[in-house]
């Protein structure tokens, strides 16, 4: 008889625990819904923050690329001007050399022409 009463007590305790679990489950379902809503808001705010951060980084990268492009254009212009100056200087030096030694210049030109003719025959 003691086992029946223990069994009844165990059953009553189990029923009590089941009722508490159902109450806790319904309460926790509401909590879960509230937490999900909070999570949705947090995700939306995070998405907006990331979007604004990405836009800022894109603008920063765009500005840097424009700056680098301008610097490259300036450097190219300087190199072109330097090359132009070098060519003008070499032309002037060659012209001065030809004026000072015209026979030597004619002999060199004839030699270069002869070599070019030999190379073009082959």
């Amino acid at each position: 008889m003691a086992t029946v009463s223990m069994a009844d007590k165990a059953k009553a305790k189990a029923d009590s625990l089941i009722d508490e679990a159902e109450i806790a489950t319904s309460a926790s379902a509401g909590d879960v819904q509230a937490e999900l809503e909070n999570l949705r808001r947090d995700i939306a705010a995070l998405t907006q923050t990331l979007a604004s951060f990405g836009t800022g980084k894109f603008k920063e990268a765009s500005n840097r690329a424009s700056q680098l492009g301008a610097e490259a254009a300036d450097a190219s212009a300087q190199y072109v001007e330097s090359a132009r100056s070098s060519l003008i200087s070499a032309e002037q030096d060659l012209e001065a050399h030809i004026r000072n030694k015209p026979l030597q210049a004619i002999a060199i030109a004839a030699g270069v022409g002869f070599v070019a003719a030999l190379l073009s025959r082959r």
Side-chain angles (χ1 to χ4, degrees), residues 91-103:
E91 181 185 10
Q92 289 172 350
D93 290 346
L94 181 63
E95 188 176 322
H97 182 71
I98 291 171
R99 286 182 195 262
N100 290 337
K101 299 181 181 182
L103 292 177

Side-chain angles (χ1 to χ4, degrees), residues 56-72:
K57 285 296 183 181
F58 178 75
K59 286 180 182 178
E60 182 180 320
S62 176
N63 290 340
R64 181 68 180 140
S66 296
Q67 181 183 11
L68 288 174
E71 290 173 3

Side-chain angles (χ1 to χ4, degrees), residues 29-106:
D31 291 342
V32 168
Q33 287 293 343
E35 288 298 320
L36 283 175
E37 189 58 38
N38 286 339
L39 187 59
R40 283 187 190 113
R41 276 183 264 150
D42 289 346
I43 289 173
L46 182 61
T47 303
Q48 185 177 9
T49 302
L50 286 175
S52 65
F53 179 75
T55 301
K57 285 296 183 181
F58 178 75
K59 286 180 182 178
E60 182 180 320
S62 176
N63 290 340
R64 181 68 180 140
S66 296
Q67 181 183 11
L68 288 174
E71 290 173 3
D74 289 343
S76 296
Q78 289 175 356
Y79 288 133
V80 166
E81 189 58 37
S82 175
R84 183 177 298 165
S85 297
S86 296
L87 287 175
I88 289 173
S89 175
E91 181 185 10
Q92 289 172 350
D93 290 346
L94 181 63
E95 188 176 322
H97 182 71
I98 291 171
R99 286 182 195 262
N100 290 337
K101 299 181 181 182
L103 292 177
Q104 185 182 12
I106 290 173

